[in-house]
Amino acid sequence: MPTVQVTDVDLKDGDFLLDVREDDEWQAGHAEGALHIPISDFVARYGELTEAAPQDGRVHVICRSGGRSAQVTMYLAQQGIDAANVDGGMQLWAETGRPVVTDDGRPGFVL
């Protein structure tokens, strides 16, 4: 399964990030600009991803630590989408000093 390091994801450079954590985790804090579709709703909301994701770009999938995002990454690969699991997830995202925000733009935290 394709995997990328947190430090290789550059949202300012146009990389696409899909956060598959649950609502309470997202509300506590997330990467600004990520698309949020909880894994529990993923199949039902799959169309939201296909509408938002770049047609010729990679979908970087993230969760808290990498387990749930790995499942979604495998599913996306089976659908023919170029996807990669973000190794270490939001925990490593925050540990490496990458910004974590709430919906209103305030500093957040990883739940």
Side-chain angles (χ1 to χ4, degrees), residues 27-102:
Q27 291 167 2
H30 54 269
E32 188 172 11
L35 173 65
H36 178 231
I37 303 177
I39 192 169
S40 59
D41 296 337
F42 189 75
V43 174
R45 295 176 55 189
Y46 178 73
E48 292 177 42
L49 172 66
T50 58
E51 288 178 19
Q55 296 300 315
D56 57 350
R58 174 174 269 184
V59 175
H60 298 90
V61 187
I62 198 166
C63 67
R64 183 172 186 264
S65 61
R68 290 173 284 179
S69 54
Q71 293 174 29
V72 172
T73 299
M74 287 189 292
Y75 176 82
L76 292 174
Q78 291 170 349
Q79 306 309 310
I81 293 177
D82 181 13
N85 186 34
V86 179
D87 190 42
M90 285 300 297
Q91 286 180 318
L92 191 56
W93 184 277
E95 287 174 17
T96 58
R98 314 265 336 238
V100 177
V101 298
T102 61

Side-chain angles (χ1 to χ4, degrees), residues 21-32:
R21 296 175 302 144
E22 295 302 323
D23 288 333
D24 60 334
E25 295 172 289
W26 171 266
Q27 291 167 2
H30 54 269
E32 188 172 11

